[in-house]
Amino acid sequence: MTENEYNETFDMQMEKEHQLNLDRMRQFKLIGEQISKMPDASSKVLEIEVRYLMGIIGELETRIKDLESEARRLEMLLTRAN
């Protein structure tokens, strides 16, 4: 695989990840809107919603770490290539 092919593949992967993150952010926003419109809810329901949202946040944090790691790896590759 040439460097250009790798870069194109990486760009496509990054775009896909970006779209997934945007979709998750939209879901997060919709859930937040739903919660804010909820009438008095039991603490059990709210606890479940919070756990779900914390799971989403955890997944996003993991993706960020993975992308930062990939960016560092690519920087090292570029440094070696020069």
Side-chain angles (χ1 to χ4, degrees):
M1 178 181 288
T2 67
E3 186 176 347
N4 283 341
E5 290 172 331
Y6 178 83
N7 288 339
E8 288 176 16
T9 302
F10 180 75
D11 288 344
M12 289 187 321
Q13 181 181 358
M14 293 298 289
E15 180 61 29
K16 182 179 176 183
E17 290 286 331
H18 178 69
Q19 288 303 319
L20 287 172
N21 287 337
L22 289 177
D23 290 342
R24 293 302 285 249
M25 287 169 48
R26 278 188 221 104
Q27 290 173 358
F28 184 82
K29 181 180 176 187
L30 289 173
I31 290 170
E33 289 172 357
Q34 290 170 355
I35 289 173
S36 69
K37 293 177 185 176
M38 286 175 59
D40 292 334
S42 72
S43 59
K44 184 78 170 173
V45 170
L46 293 176
E47 183 179 334
I48 292 169
E49 291 290 336
V50 168
R51 285 184 183 180
Y52 176 74
L53 295 174
M54 293 302 292
I56 291 172
I57 291 169
E59 287 178 25
L60 291 172
E61 288 172 341
T62 300
R63 287 183 184 177
I64 288 169
K65 288 177 185 175
D66 291 344
L67 292 172
E68 288 172 341
S69 175
E70 182 68 13
R72 283 191 300 272
R73 190 179 72 75
L74 287 173
E75 286 174 4
M76 290 183 347
L77 286 172
L78 288 173
T79 302
R80 289 181 194 165
N82 293 332

